[in-house]
Amino acid sequence: MVEGADPIRGAAQRGMIDHFALRCVDPAAFVARLTAHDCNFSRLDVAELGLSLIFVRDPNGVLIELAFPLEATT
């Protein structure tokens, strides 16, 4: 149980995790595989962190964050 004054929203409301992150290599291979399986995903480059991020949801709705070194995407 999460305590606090604010209401609990999203995945935590259902008792599951909201998201998790993995450090990965070869972003092109991940994009190719996600595309081949018709998965919806989004990308975000975060120069301040030196990371290129890909976000995708698993079948349970948990957000998976795939983090790649930014230089690997150029």
Side-chain angles (χ1 to χ4, degrees):
M1 176 155 196
V2 178
E3 295 183 22
D6 296 327
I8 299 169
R9 301 202 192 310
Q13 210 171 24
R14 297 186 301 272
M16 61 187 222
I17 63 171
D18 176 63
H19 81 282
F20 64 93
L22 301 169
R23 190 169 295 256
C24 305
V25 295
D26 197 1
F30 275 87
V31 168
R33 188 166 183 168
L34 291 169
T35 301
H37 290 281
D38 201 27
C39 296
N40 292 323
F41 65 93
S42 61
R43 297 183 73 166
L44 175 66
D45 290 344
V46 184
E48 298 83 5
L49 299 176
L51 294 174
S52 179
L53 306 175
I54 295 176
F55 299 96
V56 63
R57 291 203 179 270
D58 79 359
N60 291 310
V62 176
L63 184 65
I64 303 168
E65 176 184 325
L66 306 172
F68 303 88
L70 194 55
E71 62 273 4
T73 62
T74 58

